[in-house]
Amino acid sequence: MNPFVDSVVSRAGWLVATAVGLAVGLPLSTGPVRVVDGLVVCSGLPRWAFRRGGTCVGSVYLTRDNDGDRVLRHERVHVTQWKRYGMAMPVLYAIAGRDPLRNRFEVEAGLEDGGYVR
């Protein structure tokens, strides 16, 4: 059993990441901030604050306006991934690669819901 996966350690990392997401998202949001099924959606952020259409940090989704139901379903899977891997998530995500069609985290979250394929 790995003490860093699905563990107290990974959950602590997810909480730290969530705090970081809130520290970035709350002051930069110019749009509504809402909670959807445990996902804190911070909208109206400047484009430099996230990649692609948005970024999930812990339980916080940072975006300008990419917050439809399907995208939020996709991002909630990323929350589950953050809980599982904690602060290892950014490293594991980087190792998985920039191509969302081959990145296992994006594939698991659903490429269609994430807007990567039609």
Side-chain angles (χ1 to χ4, degrees):
M1 180 169 192
N2 187 332
F4 299 105
V5 177
D6 276 334
S7 68
V8 172
V9 173
S10 65
R11 292 296 169 117
W14 158 70
L15 288 172
V16 169
T18 298
V20 169
L22 290 170
V24 170
L26 293 177
L28 292 178
S29 287
T30 60
V33 175
R34 64 191 202 280
V35 179
V36 180
D37 295 329
L39 177 67
V40 180
V41 181
C42 295
S43 61
L45 275 76
R47 298 241 183 251
W48 57 261
F50 56 87
R51 291 189 46 201
R52 297 185 184 122
T55 298
C56 184
V57 182
S59 286
V60 182
Y61 177 54
L62 309 172
T63 188
R64 181 164 202 78
D65 55 13
N66 187 27
D67 58 358
D69 292 341
R70 292 182 76 175
V71 170
L72 297 185
R73 181 171 54 222
H74 173 92
E75 297 304 326
R76 285 192 300 272
V77 175
H78 288 317
V79 170
T80 301
Q81 294 166 343
W82 271 100
K83 287 179 181 178
R84 179 153 201 235
Y85 298 108
M87 291 307 289
M89 181 67 182
V91 174
L92 295 171
Y93 189 96
I95 291 169
R98 294 181 65 126
D99 180 357
L101 302 179
R102 296 173 190 244
N103 181 304
R104 70 184 193 96
F105 297 101
E106 295 300 342
V107 171
E108 181 183 358
L111 295 175
E112 278 191 40
D113 285 348
Y116 296 114
V117 295
R118 301 246 175 246

